[in-house]
Amino acid sequence: MAVAEVRITLKKGVADPEGKNTLKALGLLGFEGVRDVRSVKVFVIETEGEAGEAKRSVEEMCRKLLANPVIHNYSIRIK
Amino acid sequence: MKVSDARVCVLRIEGTNCEEESYLSFKRLGAKPEKVHLKQLTGTDVTSDEKRSLADYQVLVLPGGFSSGDYVRAGAIFAARIKSRLSRDMVEFVRAGKPVLGICNGFQILVETGLLPAMSGIMTEVPEAVLSTNDSARFECRPTLLRKVNRGSCAFTTKIPRNKISAIPSAHAEGKLMFPVDRSKSIVKELADNDQLVFKYVNPEGELAGYPWCPNGSTENIAGICNREGNVFGLMPHPERVFFRYTHPDWTRNPEGAGDGKAVFESVLDYVSKKL
């Protein structure tokens, strides 16, 4: 069995309203020195089979469902 | 074909919630709509009586809602299920010139399946656009004004004069239409050249304006687009919610006439009666 951790991040130049709103709210709560907040989505996927195979199939999952290439980058870490 | 013979498939899965209004919009105009669950088309977990074939319908509607809880991205799961089981039927449907309408969540589904903007071919393998989180990062539920910018290609707006401003309400959290950032300008130009732009969010003067006139920060205020042939159309606002004048916010002051959304359904049924 392999466990893959998939991180879906927004591409550079794509607005991140969730991150920006969180940044604003943290400021309102009195947290100082917060420079930026970015939102990231993480999926943890357990698969059968060995690591190399898992990597390939999770790549395919990212391409077909988990990420939209217009705004997303993804990275995969096999644990 | 006669409008009274036109069969309309209003397709739903778990989380779809605008199927009733969409169904009624076609019913009131004399067509034969039917609310169909995706499983009835794929033939999974249904009896033989419940099975349906997409090819038996003349119009396909993907209504609004929160299909599969908007998990992953709005419309992504519905799109994945269509792509896995219905790809070929879908492409055939569009190739035959039959109209496909996606409202709100339905628009998100059409973009995620690659049926819109479809600047090359009928259905792209990966999405060419996205309906991303509103600039406000909130669910925006408000009346919006749409100016028709289409020059005539779109089968769903032929009964609406060019540049007419229609009041059609929006209700979504992910409606910001975006293209790859580095090519956005040239893609929008190509869409305009192909006559694929249909509606833009405007202020009462008809000018492109910022929030709240544009509820989501969409690229160049685009609210709705169609494919090159004009038979696949998606928009974020809800024409089915303003079929009647009395569901407009200003109806007591302007009680006469039909609702602004009615023309969308009249246009597509006119297309069906002339072309299919």
Side-chain angles (χ1 to χ4, degrees), chain A residues 7 55 66:
Chain A
R7 277 169 65 91
K55 179 102 197 268
L66 304 180

Side-chain angles (χ1 to χ4, degrees), chain B residues 60-126:
Chain B
L60 173 65
V61 180
L62 298 168
F66 302 84
S67 58
S68 293
D70 274 355
Y71 298 143
V72 184
R73 283 181 310 287
I77 304 243
F78 201 155
R81 282 168 65 178
I82 288 175
K83 284 197 111 158
S84 65
R85 304 291 300 274
L86 280 178
S87 247
R88 238 184 22 208
D89 294 3
M90 207 69 156
V91 169
E92 273 314 304
F93 197 89
V94 175
R95 184 175 288 137
K98 292 179 177 178
V100 180
L101 171 63
I103 301 168
C104 194
N105 194 219
F107 184 20
Q108 294 161 337
I109 295 159
L110 289 175
V111 167
E112 287 287 339
T113 42
L115 283 161
L116 283 177
M119 287 181 292
S120 54
I122 289 177
M123 183 158 92
T124 53
E125 206 202 329
V126 290

Side-chain angles (χ1 to χ4, degrees), chain A residues 10 12-15 17-18 21 41 43 60 63-72, chain B residues 72-73 76 80 112 125 127-130 132-137 176 178-181:
Chain A
L10 288 165
K12 210 172 158 231
V14 175
E18 194 178 350
N21 269 270
K41 196 161 194 169
F43 294 92
E60 190 70 6
R63 241 169 44 80
K64 286 201 166 159
L65 178 64
L66 304 180
N68 182 320
V70 175
I71 50 166
H72 292 138
Chain B
V72 184
R73 283 181 310 287
E112 287 287 339
E125 206 202 329
E128 290 175 322
V130 68
S132 184
T133 310
N134 295 346
D135 275 350
S136 64
K176 181 183 183 180
M178 289 176 70
F179 306 100
V181 179

Side-chain angles (χ1 to χ4, degrees), chain B:
Chain B
M1 127 175 286
K2 281 194 296 190
V3 165
S4 56
D5 293 329
R7 294 186 64 191
V8 181
C9 174
V10 180
L11 193 61
R12 60 188 184 88
I13 63 168
E14 66 278 3
T16 305
N17 67 10
C18 297
E19 67 270 36
E20 193 66 30
E21 302 93 312
S22 306
Y23 165 87
L24 286 171
S25 296
F26 284 97
K27 181 115 183 147
R28 291 174 194 129
L29 294 173
K32 276 201 186 116
E34 185 185 351
K35 285 169 272 181
V36 180
H37 195 281
L38 183 66
K39 286 184 172 182
Q40 292 180 266
L41 294 184
T42 57
T44 36
D45 306 330
V46 291
T47 64
S48 54
D49 290 354
E50 292 168 328
K51 267 190 197 166
R52 299 287 184 276
S53 167
L54 189 57
D56 293 337
Y57 297 89
Q58 281 72 45
V59 182
L60 173 65
V61 180
L62 298 168
F66 302 84
S67 58
S68 293
D70 274 355
Y71 298 143
V72 184
R73 283 181 310 287
I77 304 243
F78 201 155
R81 282 168 65 178
I82 288 175
K83 284 197 111 158
S84 65
R85 304 291 300 274
L86 280 178
S87 247
R88 238 184 22 208
D89 294 3
M90 207 69 156
V91 169
E92 273 314 304
F93 197 89
V94 175
R95 184 175 288 137
K98 292 179 177 178
V100 180
L101 171 63
I103 301 168
C104 194
N105 194 219
F107 184 20
Q108 294 161 337
I109 295 159
L110 289 175
V111 167
E112 287 287 339
T113 42
L115 283 161
L116 283 177
M119 287 181 292
S120 54
I122 289 177
M123 183 158 92
T124 53
E125 206 202 329
V126 290
E128 290 175 322
V130 68
L131 286 148
S132 184
T133 310
N134 295 346
D135 275 350
S136 64
R138 283 193 309 209
F139 188 85
E140 295 286 347
C141 179
R142 56 177 73 252
T144 39
L145 300 175
L146 311 181
R147 181 157 59 84
K148 180 190 161 182
V149 294
N150 194 260
R151 299 189 294 273
S153 75
C154 180
F156 296 83
T157 54
T158 48
K159 300 263 180 196
I160 303 171
R162 188 152 181 236
N163 288 322
K164 188 197 165 186
I165 299 171
S166 303
I168 300 183
S170 293
H172 56 257
E174 295 168 54
K176 181 183 183 180
L177 183 68
M178 289 176 70
F179 306 100
V181 179
D182 50 334
R183 291 183 290 130
S184 189
K185 273 222 159 72
S186 64
I187 290 173
V188 174
K189 185 173 180 305
E190 195 182 332
L191 288 172
D193 290 346
N194 293 347
D195 201 19
Q196 289 184 253
L197 303 178
V198 182
F199 283 126
K200 287 193 174 187
Y201 300 106
V202 293
N203 63 15
E205 286 72 46
E207 300 152 348
L208 303 189
Y211 187 84
W213 301 111
C214 177
N216 47 35
S218 187
T219 305
E220 300 208 11
N221 285 39
I222 300 168
I225 56 173
C226 62
N227 65 350
R228 277 177 311 175
E229 286 68 32
N231 65 323
V232 180
F233 171 47
L235 78 169
M236 285 315 296
H238 287 269
E240 82 283 12
R241 293 189 186 174
V242 280
F243 189 90
F244 297 111
R245 176 51 52 185
Y246 57 74
T247 51
H248 278 279
D250 63 345
W251 75 280
T252 51
R253 279 161 283 152
N254 297 298
E256 300 304 322
D260 283 359
K262 188 180 177 186
V264 170
F265 304 97
E266 288 175 328
S267 299
V268 66
L269 288 176
D270 183 58
Y271 171 90
V272 170
S273 71
K274 287 178 179 154
K275 299 279 172 70
L276 298 180

